[in-house]
C-alpha cells in the first residue's frame, strides 16, 4: 500500500523553527515529486511548495519564500519542509503529497496524483 507519512509538527513560539518530514511506505521517494500543502483553521487548503525528482528544483509560494525551504535526503528517503521565523498565521495542518513528476521541474509544481499523508499539526503561539 502506497502511503505518505508526515511528522515533526508541534507547538512553537512565534519566531521559532520546525522541520517537517515526509516519508513513504510501499515505495521510495527518490523518484517522486513531492508537494507540501497546509490548511489553517477555517481556511482553504493552500500549496506551500514542491520539490522535483528530475532536476532537484524547488518552489516555495511567495508568501513563505525566504522562511520555508524544501529539501530531500535520498539516503533517508525523506523530504523535508524547514520552516523558520514562524508566525501565528502559519498555524495549520501540513500535508505532503505526490505530484506528477513529469511536470514538476524547473521550479514548477505539477498536479497532484491523489496520494496524501495524514497531516501533521503545526501550532505557532506564545
Amino acid at each position: 500500500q502506497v502511503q505518505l507519512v508526515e511528522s515533526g509538527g508541534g507547538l512553537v513560539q512565534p519566531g521559532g523553527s520546525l522541520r517537517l518530514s515526509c516519508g513513504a511506505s510501499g515505495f521510495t521517494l527518490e523518484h517522486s515529486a513531492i508537494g507540501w500543502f497546509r490548511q489553517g483553521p477555517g481556511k482553504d487548503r493552500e500549496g506551500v511548495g514542491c520539490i522535483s525528482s528530475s532536476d532537484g528544483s524547488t518552489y516555495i509560494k511567495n508568501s513563505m519564500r525566504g522562511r520555508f525551504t524544501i529539501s530531500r535526503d535520498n539516503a533517508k528517503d525523506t523530504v523535508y519542509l524547514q520552516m523558520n521565523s514562524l508566525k501565528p498565521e502559519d498555524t495549520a495542518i501540513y500535508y505532503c503529497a505526490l505530484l506528477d513528476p513529469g511536470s514538476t521541474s524547473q521550479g514548477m509544481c505539477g498536479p497532484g496524483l491523489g496520494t496524501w499523508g495524514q497531516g501533521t499539526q503545526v501550532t505557532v503561539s506564545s
Side-chain angles (χ1 to χ4, degrees):
Q1 185 177 1
V2 173
Q3 287 184 321
L4 293 171
V5 180
E6 303 93 340
S7 61
L11 174 64
V12 62
Q13 292 187 340
S17 298
L18 279 177
R19 188 178 73 166
L20 306 184
S21 299
C22 175
S25 175
F27 69 107
T28 61
L29 290 180
E30 182 175 359
H31 303 294
S32 300
I34 297 294
W36 282 97
F37 299 80
R38 69 184 187 182
Q39 186 165 17
K43 298 181 181 179
D44 293 333
R45 186 176 62 199
E46 67 172 330
V48 172
C50 65
I51 185 166
S52 169
S53 56
S54 59
D55 61 9
S57 64
T58 62
Y59 168 81
I60 298 291
K61 189 175 181 178
N62 281 349
S63 59
M64 292 164 255
R65 198 168 296 168
R67 299 190 299 123
F68 291 9
T69 57
I70 297 175
S71 63
R72 68 167 76 228
D73 184 338
N74 288 334
K76 295 183 177 180
D77 202 34
T78 301
V79 171
Y80 300 103
L81 175 65
Q82 178 68 45
M83 306 185 294
N84 299 327
S85 302
L86 283 162
K87 306 174 182 180
E89 51 263 43
D90 294 317
T91 294
I93 301 174
Y94 285 73
Y95 302 88
C96 61
L98 288 180
L99 303 183
D100 174 35
S103 52
T104 302
S105 65
Q106 300 181 351
M108 302 288 289
C109 301
L113 297 179
T115 299
W116 294 79
Q118 82 290 348
T120 186
Q121 176 71 48
V122 172
T123 302
V124 184
S125 174
S126 55

